[in-house]
Amino acid sequence: MFHCRHPSLSKRGGIWGLCILLLYTSPLSCFANFSQAKELIYKIKEGLPRGTFIGAIGVDLNLDFTVKPPFLFSLPKKKVNGQYVNLNNTTGELYTSATEIDREKFCPYHSDGRGCFLSLDVFVLPQQYFQLVKVKIFIEDVNDNRPKFSVDEIRISVPENTPINARYAVEQSAVDPDLGVHGVQTYWLVNDFGMFTLDVEENEGGELTPFLIVIEALDRETQAEYITDIIAEDGGTPPLLGAATLKIVITDVNDNCPQFTESQLNVTLHGNATKGSTLARLNAFDPDLGANAQISYAYSERVPRDVRSLFHLDRITGFIKLAGKIDTGTATFYKLTILANGPGCIPAVATVFVYLIKVVTGPPAVIPRYITPEKDGVVTIKESEPAFSPIAFYTVKNIGMNQKVDCHLEGSGPFRLVPYQLLKNEYLLETTEPLDYEKTQEYELIVVAKNSHALVIKTFLKVQVLDENDNVPVFQQSWMEISVEENNPPNTFLTQLQATDQDSEGRGEVIYLLGGNAPGIFVVDRVTGVLTVTTSLDREEKETYRFIVRAVDQGTPRRESIATVVVSVLDRNDNSPRFINKDFTFFVPENFPGYGEIGVLSVADADAGENGWVALSILNGSDIFMIDTGRGALRAKTSLDREQQGTYQLWIEAVDGGEPALSCVTMVTVLLVDVNDNPPIVLFPQSNQSYMLVLPDTLPGTSITEVYAVDKDTGMNAVIAYSIVKRKGGEPGSFAIDPETGNITLKRELSIRGLYRLLVKVSDHGQPEPLYSTVMVNFFVNETVSNESYIHSLLTREAEVEVEERPWYKGQMTEGPERYELFPCQPLLIALSVTCLGLFFSVVTLTSYICCRRFKKRKRKKRSEVEIPLKI
């Protein structure tokens, strides 16, 4: 390919000159490259996935991709371009986009397969290479549609006298939107019954029409209809099929003629038979339908006119009745030829021979009197009538002297003919049990009267039972259990109620109603009995619905029956476990034994079965704690020490057993309650061998030192009280200690130099038993310390520490391992003081004098013992 631009040409005129030169030297000119539009044609199949390669425009145009600047390809901004194809701007390659091309939707009016294409305009850029390329992408059809009939059932009527090879067009042919070989190619029958076949004809427009061909003789009386499936098959690989029900109805033609059930009847007629007596009934049948099966009875022309007038023939029912008086003197029998005529048929012939019996005194005459409604020898009686309901009276007359008459009933059914009370020759026809229309609708009876001359007269009677609304509708199931999953869509089908009523006409028509206890969310179709629920059910709200449904007939009065419907709502895992509390806090005393129950986490899941099973697990801290999944009991694997860690925060997860499983998480805080398990620790003085120098001139009330102790417990278990429980040296009450601060102050002047030792008890306020520690506080009373070895020898000397005689004041500790009271025998002293009060006052002076003398001597002795070593 030659290009108009060259690096060595800097002027516009030079460029065009080169173009003109190339016009004569090259088959492709610059004008051809820049001005003439080119057309490219591609073919693709419909329904290709995204990214399928269509074509390379640059390659097909033989463009040189080494030129600079490079080629660019662009599509104009059209919606259809971006919808079906993607263009690579640098290579010019076309690919299918995310939207698949459906030829039948893209080209709905190109059913001939020609002209279904996608047109694109592609610009070749930049400007110096500009070209307009017309791209046509033809869409080829694939077999992605199956044939479809316009109706689900095709009905064809075929007369039963249709000749063999007669053709009937199936107008509702199948339609396949695919083209060519992918369209409908043939039709066939699933079952031809050996009577039919299909042929396919193509019209000028290329459409195929199936024709039904009769290949065997049809007989409606043998089979009235044929039902099969007609299949439309296209030419794809594999072929796709469409089906519809083909119903072939065989219409009736008058191809059958009436036939008598009996071609010859013999009838005996007494000479004294009364007018209107029934001689016989002829019966002919025609298997055709409707007007083709209508039969009329008539006498043959061979029967003389006077005989016709003597015996009346009902042309519809075929009854032959005596219409005149019999003359037994002129004839002994009659021959009646009866014709059964049908439309377009040769009449069927039957012969009735009437034999006359001459009666000397005349046959008995039976005169009926009907109690129930009667018309033309047919009486009607309601099925609700009780047993022994009267139907008719029969009176036997024309009985000669000394003649006996036997009157009895012939025929089947719950009837009897009995003499009526004490009346002679009076008979009552009555029922023997209630009649049931649903069992038998009609009875034929014959009342026979026979005298002693064997003369017999027969009276025919037809009894029709009238239906009444005596049957209630009966449900096929009186107890119906239905299961439906919760969260069902509205108007969900539950079941179809089915009840039957044996009564006829409207009395047997059943409608369905809901009982008064049925919730409003249930609806039943009155006619079809389809039971639906109009709303979505929630098992957690209600698990079982029980209500009554009614089946009501349309009789008068209406009768109904009921059935119970139980709708069980099946559970779905639509509820996650829920802890009773948002979070839990448990207070546990420290040193609580391992595996002891700290607390119970109550969790519930509203679902049922496995969906409601809940398993608990610890998300953190499982190395210290464990949880009992059955009871939800939280336990510690080991004893816990508050002094090491006082608070634990655990995350507990509850997971149900549904699929998929649902869960929830709660936070559990375990707070360790302090237990008095640590005695106070004395930090100062640091040991029982330490001492402090106290000057003799220290004034009372001066703070000398302080006992300092701590307790690792908390609360009242860490509140410390100080008390002096024993002493050695000095006078009682010389020192006092603050029970709260442990500050030791001087209460009296120190007149004696030397070592003073105080046993201080440091106790907490723990429950149930306070813990304590003791420390020895040593004071060396002197101006200076000149001999420490002597002092240490005094500290190490094993000597008793005397009990502090000063009574405790209010606020000091009164509990401890040792308790000292001022008067341990106070009750005894009070009793003695009452009896010895006078003696006490007489000796008090003497006792005080003696005590003072001894105290002075002991004081001088101790001072000399202390002062001598100090001077040394």
Side-chain angles (χ1 to χ4, degrees):
M1 179 173 289
F2 294 89
H3 303 279
C4 298
R5 192 171 182 180
H6 195 277
S8 65
L9 301 178
S10 60
K11 294 183 179 180
R12 195 176 192 83
I15 297 174
W16 286 104
L18 179 61
C19 293
I20 295 172
L21 177 62
L22 296 176
L23 178 63
Y24 293 98
T25 60
S26 173
L28 297 176
S29 68
C30 296
F31 298 101
N33 285 337
F34 301 153
S35 301
Q36 295 180 359
K38 294 188 176 182
E39 184 178 43
L40 296 177
I41 298 176
Y42 300 103
K43 290 184 179 182
I44 63 172
K45 295 184 181 296
E46 62 171 327
L48 293 177
R50 178 181 182 179
T52 302
F53 177 75
I54 299 175
I57 296 176
V59 174
D60 295 337
L61 293 177
N62 297 320
L63 299 181
D64 184 6
F65 285 94
T66 62
V67 299
K68 301 295 183 178
F71 288 102
L72 295 177
F73 301 88
S74 174
L75 281 172
K77 299 298 183 180
K78 290 184 179 180
K79 182 177 179 182
V80 68
N81 298 333
Q83 182 178 2
Y84 294 109
V85 298
N86 291 328
L87 174 64
N88 190 311
N89 294 333
T90 59
T91 64
E93 294 177 345
L94 281 172
Y95 297 91
T96 57
S97 67
T99 303
E100 293 184 358
I101 300 177
D102 186 352
R103 188 199 63 79
E104 288 74 30
K105 293 183 179 179
F106 187 74
C107 301
Y109 304 108
H110 294 79
S111 59
D112 56 355
R114 300 188 298 274
C116 182
F117 57 85
L118 174 65
S119 296
L120 305 174
D121 290 341
V122 179
F123 294 158
V124 181
L125 301 173
Q127 188 65 32
Q128 55 267 38
Y129 310 136
F130 176 78
Q131 290 189 59
L132 173 61
V133 181
K134 297 286 187 176
V135 178
K136 283 188 176 182
I137 303 175
F138 282 89
I139 313 301
E140 295 183 349
D141 182 51
V142 298
N143 190 27
D144 58 346
N145 292 280
R146 64 177 62 250
K148 184 176 182 181
F149 288 90
S150 59
V151 294
D152 294 333
E153 181 178 286
I154 302 172
R155 184 184 181 96
I156 297 179
S157 297
V158 179
E160 63 176 328
N161 62 346
T162 297
I164 294 176
N165 295 326
R167 303 165 66 87
Y168 293 88
V170 181
E171 298 296 341
Q172 297 91 340
S173 58
V175 176
D176 192 329
D178 294 326
L179 297 178
V181 71
H182 296 153
V184 178
Q185 298 298 313
T186 185
Y187 294 86
W188 46 276
L189 296 176
V190 174
N191 184 4
D192 58 12
F193 303 99
M195 307 294 289
F196 308 95
T197 186
L198 275 184
D199 188 18
V200 180
E201 293 184 3
E202 183 176 356
N203 59 16
E204 296 178 356
E207 295 180 350
L208 298 180
T209 301
F211 281 82
L212 181 69
I213 302 176
V214 180
I215 61 175
E216 293 291 341
L218 302 175
D219 186 3
R220 188 205 63 81
E221 288 73 31
T222 303
Q223 186 166 349
E225 65 179 10
Y226 299 86
I227 300 177
T228 183
D229 287 337
I230 182 172
I231 307 298
E233 180 178 332
D234 64 18
T237 304
L240 300 180
L241 307 178
T245 300
L246 179 62
K247 189 173 185 178
I248 306 170
V249 180
I250 310 303
T251 58
D252 185 53
V253 297
N254 192 23
D255 58 345
N256 290 280
C257 291
Q259 297 291 330
F260 281 103
T261 57
E262 292 181 292
S263 61
Q264 181 175 324
L265 283 82
N266 296 317
V267 177
T268 301
L269 181 63
H270 295 88
N272 60 348
T274 57
K275 183 179 179 181
S277 299
T278 301
L279 276 68
R281 180 184 181 183
L282 299 173
N283 188 15
F285 71 95
D286 190 327
D288 291 327
L289 294 178
N292 295 331
Q294 291 183 355
I295 300 174
S296 62
Y297 300 93
Y299 282 118
S300 172
E301 293 297 330
R302 300 177 183 179
V303 179
R305 186 177 300 274
D306 59 341
V307 176
R308 298 182 195 177
S309 61
L310 180 61
F311 300 101
H312 173 72
L313 173 62
D314 191 304
R315 63 183 304 273
I316 302 298
T317 63
F319 276 103
I320 300 177
K321 294 184 179 181
L322 183 62
K325 187 175 181 181
I326 298 297
D327 186 2
T328 57
T330 59
T332 58
F333 80 97
Y334 294 93
K335 179 181 179 182
L336 307 178
T337 304
I338 312 297
L339 304 178
N341 297 304
C345 289
I346 298 174
V349 180
T351 304
V352 178
F353 293 96
V354 180
Y355 295 95
L356 300 180
I357 299 177
K358 189 175 182 179
V359 179
V360 177
T361 59
V366 179
I367 301 174
R369 288 173 291 170
Y370 301 102
I371 301 174
T372 58
E374 180 269 343
K375 183 179 181 181
D376 297 331
V378 178
V379 297
T380 56
I381 183 171
K382 296 179 180 179
E383 64 174 334
S384 61
E385 295 292 340
F388 306 107
S389 295
I391 298 175
F393 269 112
Y394 287 93
T395 302
V396 181
K397 294 185 176 181
N398 197 20
I399 301 174
M401 293 295 294
N402 300 322
Q403 283 189 346
K404 293 182 180 181
V405 176
D406 175 27
C407 190
H408 62 274
L409 188 66
E410 292 183 356
S412 60
F415 305 95
R416 69 176 184 176
L417 185 66
V418 296
Y420 183 69
Q421 296 181 0
L422 300 178
L423 299 179
K424 187 177 181 181
N425 299 326
E426 295 285 350
Y427 296 89
L428 176 64
L429 177 63
E430 62 182 3
T431 61
T432 58
E433 60 185 55
L435 303 178
D436 190 351
Y437 173 86
E438 287 70 33
K439 292 182 178 179
T440 307
Q441 292 82 37
E442 187 176 88
Y443 299 90
E444 290 187 356
L445 305 176
I446 303 175
V447 178
V448 180
K450 182 180 180 181
N451 62 13
S452 55
H453 297 292
L455 297 179
V456 177
I457 187 68
K458 295 182 178 180
T459 303
F460 294 87
L461 179 66
K462 180 182 290 186
V463 178
Q464 288 185 346
V465 182
L466 299 181
D467 185 34
E468 289 201 336
N469 194 27
D470 59 340
N471 288 280
V472 298
V474 178
F475 279 100
Q476 289 187 357
Q477 292 178 289
S478 62
W479 180 276
M480 287 168 278
E481 295 184 357
I482 305 168
S483 298
V484 60
E485 282 194 347
E486 62 176 331
N487 305 327
N488 59 289
N491 301 317
T492 296
F493 171 83
L494 297 179
T495 188
Q496 183 173 11
L497 307 178
Q498 293 184 344
T500 56
D501 192 320
Q502 296 182 358
D503 293 323
S504 61
E505 300 177 349
R507 293 176 290 271
E509 295 179 1
V510 179
I511 62 172
Y512 302 92
L513 303 172
L514 293 177
N517 64 337
I521 60 176
F522 295 98
V523 176
V524 65
D525 188 284
R526 292 170 58 93
V527 178
T528 64
V530 173
L531 180 64
T532 57
V533 57
T534 61
T535 185
S536 181
L537 300 177
D538 186 358
R539 189 204 64 82
E540 288 72 36
E541 181 180 337
K542 191 169 184 180
E543 186 172 2
T544 303
Y545 297 86
R546 179 178 298 179
F547 53 90
I548 299 299
V549 291
R550 303 162 51 205
V552 183
D553 64 20
Q554 302 301 298
T556 302
R558 294 190 174 186
R559 302 174 69 90
E560 68 175 68
S561 62
I562 62 173
T564 302
V565 175
V566 179
V567 179
S568 299
V569 184
L570 302 181
D571 183 56
R572 297 181 69 182
N573 193 28
D574 57 346
N575 290 278
S576 59
R578 289 289 182 268
F579 287 95
I580 291 181
N581 299 327
K582 183 178 180 182
D583 49 41
F584 295 83
T585 301
F586 298 118
F587 294 89
V588 182
E590 64 174 331
N591 304 324
F592 192 71
Y595 298 98
E597 185 177 296
I598 295 175
V600 176
L601 303 178
S602 297
V603 62
D605 193 317
D607 293 322
E610 294 184 0
N611 296 332
W613 295 350
V614 179
L616 301 177
S617 61
I618 303 175
L619 300 181
N620 65 322
S622 59
D623 54 339
I624 300 176
F625 296 91
M626 61 180 295
I627 192 164
D628 182 357
T629 302
R631 294 184 58 249
L634 181 65
R635 307 175 189 273
K637 298 179 181 179
T638 183
S639 179
L640 304 177
D641 188 356
R642 187 202 61 80
E643 284 72 33
Q644 293 182 2
Q645 184 173 344
T647 303
Y648 295 88
Q649 285 188 341
L650 307 176
W651 291 99
I652 308 299
E653 182 183 33
V655 181
D656 64 20
E659 182 62 35
L662 301 178
S663 64
C664 69
V665 177
T666 187
M667 186 181 74
V668 176
T669 303
V670 179
L671 299 176
L672 297 183
V673 179
D674 185 52
V675 174
N676 192 26
D677 57 347
N678 292 281
I681 301 174
V682 179
L683 301 180
F684 185 83
Q686 295 181 355
S687 72
N688 292 332
Q689 303 300 319
S690 62
Y691 68 93
M692 178 176 290
L693 179 65
V694 179
L695 299 177
D697 58 354
T698 301
L699 298 177
T702 301
S703 176
I704 299 175
T705 187
E706 179 182 11
V707 177
Y708 179 70
V710 295
D711 195 319
K712 293 183 180 179
D713 296 322
T714 59
M716 294 303 296
N717 296 332
V719 176
I720 298 176
Y722 303 88
S723 62
I724 300 173
V725 294
K726 291 184 181 182
R727 68 172 181 81
K728 181 180 180 182
E731 296 179 0
S734 298
F735 299 93
I737 188 169
D738 189 308
E740 296 179 357
T741 64
N743 188 28
I744 299 177
T745 58
L746 183 64
K747 290 299 183 179
R748 294 182 182 180
E749 294 182 356
L750 299 174
S751 58
I752 302 175
R753 289 173 173 79
L755 184 64
Y756 290 75
R757 306 190 74 178
L758 302 178
L759 181 62
V760 177
K761 177 182 177 182
V762 183
S763 176
D764 59 24
H765 284 65
Q767 294 294 333
E769 187 71 26
L771 302 179
Y772 68 93
S773 299
T774 59
V775 65
M776 190 69 73
V777 180
N778 302 304
F779 301 117
F780 186 69
V781 180
N782 202 0
E783 287 77 4
T784 60
V785 177
S786 58
N787 190 351
E788 291 189 2
S789 61
Y790 172 73
I791 296 174
H792 285 297
S793 67
L794 293 177
L795 292 174
T796 57
R797 183 182 302 171
E798 295 294 334
E800 291 291 332
V801 180
E802 297 179 3
V803 176
E804 176 67 71
E805 296 178 357
R806 182 180 60 84
W808 292 356
Y809 55 86
K810 183 177 181 181
Q812 281 188 300
M813 286 295 298
T814 59
E815 296 181 1
E818 298 180 14
R819 178 176 300 176
Y820 301 91
E821 297 181 357
L822 182 60
F823 301 109
C825 299
Q826 186 175 358
L828 181 60
L829 292 177
I830 293 175
L832 292 175
S833 64
V834 175
T835 57
C836 304
L837 185 60
L839 181 61
F840 175 77
F841 284 105
S842 62
V843 298
V844 68
T845 303
L846 180 60
T847 305
S848 298
Y849 175 76
I850 296 173
C851 288
C852 290
R853 292 280 301 231
R854 290 182 178 177
F855 177 76
K856 289 180 180 181
K857 290 180 180 180
R858 188 172 57 184
K859 184 176 182 182
R860 285 195 297 266
K861 183 178 179 180
K862 289 184 177 180
R863 180 179 298 178
S864 61
E865 291 176 355
V866 174
E867 288 177 353
I868 292 173
L870 291 176
K871 292 179 180 180
I872 295 174

